[in-house]
Amino acid sequence: MLVFWKENLVFLAVPKTGTTAIEGALAPKAAMVLRDPPTIKHAPIYRYRRFFKPLFAQAGGQEPETMAVLRHPVDWLGSWYRYRGRPDLDGHANSTKDISFDDFVLEYIKGKPEPFANVGSQAKFVCDGDGQIAVDHLFRYEDQDRLIGFLEQRLNVTLDLPRLNVSPTRDTTLSPAVAAKLRDKRAAEFAVWDQASGSS
């Protein structure tokens, strides 16, 4: 999470959406950089509203606008799958080393997935308890030009985002049958991504 106090903006870091690169580029400009633990760095909107929003209101009477980036659901899952297939996770419960992408996705859509496919939800990250988007500015990871344009204008900076924390290369081809099940079982993930186009 990055807090830009003067610019009245909070960047909520959805995992696997390029947040490490954005943090690296914008940390010097931020009033607060929350890196650890991961539950704070990657605080979703409901946690932000419960703990941070009241603090900011008391500190300066401000209610900063929020922003986040979402990745296409299949690509987001592919990034998690590749990331958890790296050698240093061999033998761990969350390793995807010997698991196909289809099996990873089928496990993900279960109510209580095994640790290797327990990666959370982008929709829950940015929505309120009623399933409505609760982030003020929502961008698609795939539309970097729009995201960078917003940040440059809002923060009065010039950005050249490096590629950091890139997941290993691995086949993430999803079979049509599993893709259909994913879209059916996790429709909210696709609906939220469909709505993520930029400044609201």
Side-chain angles (χ1 to χ4, degrees), residues 68-89:
V69 179
L70 294 184
R71 196 167 183 166
H72 186 277
V74 175
D75 294 336
W76 183 73
L77 289 171
S79 183
W80 273 114
Y81 173 72
R82 294 191 313 274
Y83 180 70
R84 290 190 167 179
R86 64 194 194 278
D88 62 303
L89 288 182

Side-chain angles (χ1 to χ4, degrees), residues 22 27 34 56 87 97 156 167 172 174:
I22 291 173
L34 303 169
F56 295 153
K97 179 182 178 182
N156 192 28
S167 298
T172 54
L174 200 58

Side-chain angles (χ1 to χ4, degrees), residues 47-58 62-64:
R47 193 173 297 138
Y48 168 79
R49 284 179 161 183
R50 182 174 179 188
F51 297 107
F52 295 99
K53 186 176 178 180
L55 174 67
F56 295 153
Q58 287 180 4
Q62 294 184 190
E63 285 197 20

Side-chain angles (χ1 to χ4, degrees), residues 105-166:
V105 171
L106 288 171
E107 188 65 31
Y108 167 75
I109 62 178
K110 290 182 178 178
K112 293 184 179 179
E114 291 295 322
F116 69 83
N118 187 6
V119 297
S121 161
Q122 292 186 107
K124 287 182 181 177
F125 195 102
V126 300
C127 290
D128 61 20
D130 296 322
Q132 300 299 310
I133 293 175
V135 173
D136 298 307
H137 306 280
L138 197 57
F139 295 88
R140 290 182 181 176
Y141 172 87
E142 295 79 8
D143 191 354
Q144 291 287 305
D145 289 345
R146 188 169 189 148
L147 168 64
I148 290 170
F150 173 82
L151 288 169
E152 288 184 334
Q153 182 177 18
R154 183 67 180 256
L155 304 177
N156 192 28
V157 295
T158 300
L159 285 180
D160 182 18
L161 295 180
R163 287 180 55 82
L164 300 173
N165 201 23
V166 179

